[in-house]
Amino acid sequence: MNTVTLTSRGTLLVEDGAPADRPLMCLSARVRLAEDCTLRSYFRMIETYPLLSELSPFFEAAMEQYRQSPSSGCTEASLRQLLLTKTVEMIGFPGKPRIEIYHSLYSVQGKELLEVKEFPLETILDMPLKLGKLKHIVFGDKVDVFEFDTVFTLFEVIDAIVWELSFHGTFLACEMRR
């Protein structure tokens, strides 16, 4: 599988270390985050490759709020990092069993995972961004959750983060509706 690396400056590097000049061709590639990657790096990527903003209708509001945030120092002292996870959940048994696959973006406080909605965007932009494991939940049994190393594609990262931020109401537009 091809790999693309997201740098802290928002540049995508292909396997030979060269900047990606055709980001759409990287969407199905495995993504790695540079060690110093933050949520701001994610937004810088969208600025660097504006074509990627066409992947979600939520980018317009997200980019507007990002641009209104301070240019640095956007951290929450009580948090350690932001963590993007993937979940595969088997549900609906007995009955019609089905599988749902979804992503979640969490704020990590100590060993506790908190919903990102608890923190406004301008307080988490400079928090380290990490990729987590895949959680496998069988028929709603949250006691026996299995965790596995997994791969995230660039598309999954782009789509999941903007979806989570907009869904959980960290954007000002969502805040006004409350």
Side-chain angles (χ1 to χ4, degrees):
M1 174 175 241
N2 294 334
T3 302
V4 64
T5 301
L6 173 60
T7 70
S8 63
R9 295 178 160 239
T11 305
L12 295 171
L13 302 178
V14 292
E15 288 179 336
D16 65 0
D21 57 351
R22 299 174 73 190
L24 294 182
M25 294 185 76
C26 300
L27 289 175
S28 64
R30 173 187 187 158
V31 70
R32 287 199 177 124
L33 303 180
E35 196 62 35
D36 56 350
C37 198
T38 63
L39 187 57
R40 186 180 302 278
S41 307
Y42 168 84
F43 283 102
R44 286 177 175 164
M45 172 184 62
I46 302 303
E47 285 183 320
T48 302
Y49 307 98
L51 187 59
L52 296 178
S53 70
E54 298 291 322
L55 294 173
S56 173
F58 300 114
F59 271 116
E60 187 175 338
M63 294 306 292
E64 183 179 326
Q65 187 169 353
Y66 161 71
R67 290 182 181 116
Q68 291 175 3
S69 297
S71 61
S72 64
C74 297
T75 59
E76 170 59 47
S78 67
L79 299 178
R80 188 177 47 166
Q81 66 187 23
L82 301 177
L83 185 67
L84 184 64
T85 65
K86 188 185 297 189
T87 302
V88 174
E89 186 170 1
M90 296 171 63
I91 54 180
F93 183 82
K96 291 186 176 187
R98 68 184 192 278
I99 291 181
E100 292 187 4
I101 302 170
Y102 54 91
H103 298 87
S104 301
L105 181 64
Y106 293 106
S107 326
V108 181
Q109 188 175 52
K111 292 185 178 185
E112 189 177 353
L113 298 180
L114 305 173
E115 290 186 11
V116 76
K117 73 178 181 178
E118 304 298 324
F119 304 93
L121 184 64
E122 63 272 7
T123 66
I124 58 174
L125 274 173
D126 294 316
M127 298 301 303
L129 179 62
K130 304 295 179 189
L131 300 176
K133 295 188 176 228
L134 177 136
K135 294 179 184 178
H136 185 241
I137 302 170
V138 181
F139 299 122
D141 184 1
K142 307 250 188 217
V143 175
D144 291 324
V145 174
F146 302 98
E147 289 191 351
F148 302 94
D149 288 333
T150 192
V151 170
F152 289 83
T153 65
L154 178 61
F155 175 78
E156 287 176 311
V157 170
I158 292 169
D159 185 60
I161 291 175
V162 76
W163 171 257
E164 281 289 305
L165 292 175
S166 63
F167 178 74
H168 286 299
T170 55
F171 294 144
L172 291 176
C174 296
E175 291 291 321
M176 286 187 254
R177 287 187 220 141
R178 290 184 182 185

